[in-house]
Protein backbone atom coordinates (compact mmCIF):
# COMPACT_ATOMS: atom_id res chain seq x y z
CA UNK A 1 0.00 0.00 0.00
CA UNK A 2 1.33 3.45 -0.89
CA UNK A 3 1.89 5.92 1.92
CA UNK A 4 0.52 8.83 -0.14
CA UNK A 5 -2.23 9.13 -2.75
CA UNK A 6 -2.70 12.11 -5.09
CA UNK A 7 -6.34 12.90 -5.89
CA UNK A 8 -7.29 15.20 -8.73
CA UNK A 9 -8.49 15.58 -12.31
CA UNK A 10 -6.36 14.38 -15.23
CA UNK A 11 -5.64 17.42 -17.41
CA UNK A 12 -2.99 16.27 -19.89
CA UNK A 13 -0.77 13.40 -21.01
CA UNK A 14 2.45 14.26 -22.79
CA UNK A 15 5.45 12.49 -24.28
CA UNK A 16 8.80 14.04 -23.39
CA UNK A 17 11.51 13.21 -25.97
CA UNK A 18 15.00 12.04 -25.05
CA UNK A 19 17.51 14.83 -24.60
CA UNK A 20 21.19 15.44 -23.95
CA UNK A 21 22.39 17.97 -21.36
CA UNK A 22 24.55 20.47 -23.28
CA UNK A 23 26.86 21.13 -20.32
CA UNK A 24 27.42 17.62 -18.98
CA UNK A 25 26.62 15.44 -21.98
CA UNK A 26 24.32 13.34 -19.80
CA UNK A 27 21.59 11.61 -21.81
CA UNK A 28 18.06 11.64 -20.43
CA UNK A 29 15.72 9.00 -21.90
CA UNK A 30 12.29 9.74 -23.32
CA UNK A 31 9.43 9.54 -20.82
CA UNK A 32 5.67 9.91 -20.49
CA UNK A 33 4.13 12.41 -18.10
CA UNK A 34 0.65 13.13 -16.82
CA UNK A 35 -0.63 16.39 -15.38
CA UNK A 36 -3.23 16.26 -12.62
CA UNK A 37 -5.06 19.29 -11.21
CA UNK A 38 -5.21 18.76 -7.45
CA UNK A 39 -7.08 20.77 -4.84
CA UNK A 40 -4.77 21.44 -1.91
CA UNK A 41 -6.37 22.19 1.46
CA UNK A 42 -4.16 24.74 3.21
CA UNK A 43 -3.62 24.91 7.00
CA UNK A 44 -5.64 28.17 7.12
CA UNK A 45 -8.70 26.43 5.63
CA UNK A 46 -8.36 27.92 2.14
CA UNK A 47 -7.90 25.84 -1.02
CA UNK A 48 -5.17 26.15 -3.64
CA UNK A 49 -5.20 24.44 -7.03
CA UNK A 50 -1.90 22.76 -7.94
CA UNK A 51 -1.02 21.29 -11.33
CA UNK A 52 1.11 18.25 -10.51
CA UNK A 53 3.23 16.59 -13.20
CA UNK A 54 4.04 12.90 -12.73
CA UNK A 55 6.10 10.48 -14.80
CA UNK A 56 4.19 7.33 -15.74
CA UNK A 57 4.82 4.02 -17.48
CA UNK A 58 1.13 3.82 -18.51
CA UNK A 59 0.22 6.91 -20.56
CA UNK A 60 -2.62 5.23 -22.47
CA UNK A 61 -4.48 4.41 -19.26
CA UNK A 62 -4.41 8.11 -18.31
CA UNK A 63 -5.31 9.36 -21.83
CA UNK A 64 -8.64 7.55 -21.42
CA UNK A 65 -9.23 9.46 -18.18
CA UNK A 66 -8.59 13.07 -19.27
CA UNK A 67 -11.15 15.28 -17.52
CA UNK A 68 -11.97 12.64 -14.91
CA UNK A 69 -11.11 12.37 -11.22
CA UNK A 70 -8.42 9.85 -10.29
CA UNK A 71 -6.53 8.67 -7.21
CA UNK A 72 -2.88 7.87 -7.95
CA UNK A 73 -0.47 6.28 -5.44
CA UNK A 74 2.66 8.48 -5.40
CA UNK A 75 6.08 8.68 -3.84
CA UNK A 76 7.78 11.86 -2.64
CA UNK A 77 11.39 12.90 -2.32
CA UNK A 78 13.03 16.17 -1.41
CA UNK A 79 13.75 18.29 1.59
CA UNK A 80 11.50 20.60 3.53
CA UNK A 81 8.25 18.66 3.20
CA UNK A 82 5.81 19.43 6.00
CA UNK A 83 2.87 17.18 6.86
CA UNK A 84 -0.24 18.34 8.72
CA UNK A 85 -3.67 16.93 9.54
CA UNK A 86 -6.41 18.46 7.42
CA UNK A 87 -8.92 20.71 9.18
CA UNK A 88 -12.37 19.28 9.58
CA UNK A 89 -11.25 15.66 9.61
CA UNK A 90 -13.07 13.37 12.04
CA UNK A 91 -9.84 11.78 13.28
CA UNK A 92 -7.69 8.91 12.16
CA UNK A 93 -9.08 6.35 9.74
CA UNK A 94 -7.67 2.91 10.50
CA UNK A 95 -7.65 0.11 7.95
CA UNK A 96 -9.80 -2.81 9.11
CA UNK A 97 -7.47 -5.58 7.95
CA UNK A 98 -4.34 -3.77 6.81
CA UNK A 99 -0.80 -4.72 7.78
CA UNK A 100 -0.65 -2.14 10.59
CA UNK A 101 -3.85 -3.35 12.29
CA UNK A 102 -2.69 -6.99 11.92
CA UNK A 103 0.63 -6.15 13.56
CA UNK A 104 -1.18 -4.46 16.48
CA UNK A 105 -3.45 -7.46 16.94
CA UNK A 106 -0.46 -9.85 17.24
Amino acid sequence: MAMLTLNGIVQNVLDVPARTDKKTGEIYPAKHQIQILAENDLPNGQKRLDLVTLTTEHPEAFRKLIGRSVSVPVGVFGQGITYYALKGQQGPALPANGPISQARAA
Side-chain angles (χ1 to χ4, degrees), residues 69-82:
S69 293
V70 295
S71 294
V72 182
V74 296
V76 177
F77 63 90
Q79 296 178 346
I81 297 173
T82 302

Side-chain angles (χ1 to χ4, degrees), residues 32-97:
H32 307 286
Q33 293 183 327
I34 56 174
Q35 292 180 306
I36 296 176
L37 187 61
E39 189 175 90
N40 189 2
D41 292 324
L42 301 175
N44 66 4
Q46 293 183 328
K47 297 180 184 293
R48 180 181 69 217
L49 296 178
D50 290 328
L51 186 63
V52 180
T53 301
L54 305 172
T55 299
T56 183
E57 296 175 343
H58 308 286
E60 290 308 316
F62 286 97
R63 278 192 178 95
K64 295 175 185 176
L65 297 172
I66 290 176
R68 296 184 58 192
S69 293
V70 295
S71 294
V72 182
V74 296
V76 177
F77 63 90
Q79 296 178 346
I81 297 173
T82 302
Y83 295 95
Y84 57 89
L86 298 178
K87 289 186 177 187
Q89 295 298 308
Q90 294 295 321
L94 300 176
N97 293 314

Side-chain angles (χ1 to χ4, degrees), residues 9-32:
I9 299 171
V10 179
Q11 298 294 306
N12 190 25
V13 179
L14 59 145
D15 301 314
V16 179
R19 67 179 182 87
T20 302
D21 187 295
K22 293 179 183 178
K23 293 181 182 178
T24 66
E26 185 175 357
I27 299 172
Y28 296 94
K31 59 186 173 183
H32 307 286

